Amino acid sequence: MALVPIDVLLKKADAEGYAVGAFNCNNMEIVQAIAAAAEAEKAPVIMQASQGAIKYAGLEYITAMVRVAAENVSVPVALHIDHGTSFEQVMRCIRSGFSSVMFDGSKLPLEENIAMTKKVVDVARAVGVSVEAELGKIGGTEDDITVSDKEAMFTDPKEAERFVKETEVDALAVAIGTAHGVYKGEPKLDFERLKAIKDLVKIPIVLHGSSGVPDEAIREAISLGVCKVNIDTNIREAFVNKTREVIANNPKEIDPRKILGPAREAAIEIIREKIRLFGSSAKA
Ligand code: 13P
């Protein structure tokens, strides 16, 4: 299938009470793993590339790989930039063929975040591309973006209402206690805040930093209006742990396919588990 914008996938998820998995792709094997897992689960899926992934693999390679992956499965696939922090970068992604974008202006003062996000929405909407934005500051490290514990700031529901009204974004990433990367302790999510946000903001809500969040908390967040759940760290762990294991068991192996092939299988397994947890199996 051709790439689809996220708003099509998220509106259906919002109406039916499940979430679409948004999985970070950094190389060909991970793109293939996401496609294979989504196809096996008959699930809609979002493949997202961070600015770091684009720097590593190249914008044209990422776009081409995901386009080919989407054409070779029967389920809907979106290609999304994760945490685009510059207007120019987001525009380059749209021009390259991304079907949706995240503009992350969360480090900007509120007025500037609103103005820049609106500017992105105006262009994106004109060409049928969806926009996710962020309000509040999600802690942790996602590739080259780090938000310290001190900087992290929960989303204010009233501000969220104003932000969505003025920017007209399709989806909103909120800070309610999750963080990117590996957690030190068990994350505690502020469900009251999530409920208050969803009561005021009628659009799909996005949960970042979802690796390491207990399954029960993920289910609860979805029941309160989260429709897009982002997973990166858990895929990295599965992929790299398997490569370590294969190399440890076969120290003389020099064929990359014999190392990365099993790693791709391990990634498929974890992605399928997440898709089932999010309730998006058989929703394609
Ligand atoms: P994790 O690395 O914690 O899974 O977070 C991924 C994410 O939110 C990407 O934006």
Side-chain angles (χ1 to χ4, degrees):
M1 287 174 80
L3 293 168
V4 296
I6 58 167
D7 74 321
V8 176
L9 305 182
L10 299 187
K11 274 187 189 141
K12 182 170 182 291
D14 205 10
E16 296 181 23
Y18 63 91
V20 180
F23 302 103
N24 284 70
C25 47
N26 295 304
N27 62 10
M28 183 190 74
E29 283 78 6
I30 292 177
V31 169
Q32 291 174 325
I34 302 166
E39 181 74 355
E41 293 294 332
K42 294 280 162 267
V45 78
I46 298 163
M47 299 207 200
Q48 54 187 18
S50 65
Q51 293 177 150
I54 291 170
K55 221 183 285 168
Y56 170 76
L59 182 59
E60 288 172 346
Y61 276 91
I62 291 272
T63 311
M65 287 191 296
V66 176
R67 201 188 54 236
V68 170
E71 283 166 2
N72 281 282
V73 290
S74 61
V75 298
V77 177
L79 171 58
H80 185 68
I81 174 170
D82 186 30
H83 296 284
T85 50
S86 91
F87 180 79
E88 290 74 17
Q89 172 75 83
V90 167
M91 291 304 118
R92 278 196 291 276
C93 289
I94 293 178
R95 194 163 180 208
S96 179
F98 280 44
S99 56
S100 65
V101 292
M102 175 184 189
F103 177 71
D104 175 2
S106 62
K107 287 205 172 178
L108 302 171
L110 179 64
E111 301 301 326
E112 267 179 64
N113 189 2
I114 291 176
M116 287 301 298
T117 303
K118 180 76 182 114
K119 204 168 135 186
V120 171
V121 169
D122 285 344
V123 180
R125 187 120 322 141
V127 291
V129 164
S130 328
V131 181
E132 171 187 345
E134 178 172 326
L135 190 65
K137 292 192 187 89
I138 298 164
T141 298
E142 179 60 35
D143 275 348
D144 45 6
I145 302 173
T146 295
V147 177
S148 70
D149 288 353
K150 248 172 58 198
E151 277 179 300
M153 204 175 67
F154 281 12
T155 307
D156 177 75
K158 274 282 179 206
E159 250 178 43
E161 183 184 29
R162 178 185 163 207
F163 185 88
V164 169
K165 194 159 168 265
E166 293 186 17
T167 59
E168 296 176 30
V169 286
D170 300 288
L172 185 68
V174 295
I176 55 163
T178 58
H180 295 111
V182 179
Y183 286 98
K184 289 181 204 106
E186 189 175 299
K188 291 268 173 293
L189 273 58
D190 186 344
F191 293 117
E192 283 303 310
R193 184 177 297 270
L194 174 58
K195 193 171 174 321
I197 295 169
K198 188 63 183 179
D199 282 347
L200 296 172
V201 165
K202 301 298 173 201
I203 62 169
I205 302 293
V206 182
L207 192 66
H208 283 246
S210 310
S211 297
V213 176
D215 288 359
E216 237 355 275
I218 294 280
R219 280 191 205 101
E220 173 92 21
I222 294 171
S223 78
L224 293 172
V226 164
C227 306
K228 173 176 181 275
V229 180
N230 288 8
I231 297 283
D232 187 2
T233 300
N234 281 157
I235 303 175
R236 293 179 184 203
E237 286 167 343
F239 194 86
V240 175
N241 288 342
K242 182 54 86 174
T243 52
R244 282 203 187 96
E245 183 191 313
V246 174
I247 292 169
N249 291 337
N250 311 277
K252 295 217 165 66
E253 184 57 68
I254 55 133
D255 184 344
R257 296 167 299 184
K258 297 204 171 129
I259 299 167
L260 299 181
R264 181 172 56 195
E265 291 303 315
I268 293 173
E269 270 319 295
I270 183 73
I271 296 164
R272 289 191 67 172
E273 262 173 46
K274 296 294 175 187
I275 288 173
R276 290 196 286 265
L277 170 64
F278 304 159
S280 55
S281 289
K283 295 291 187 183

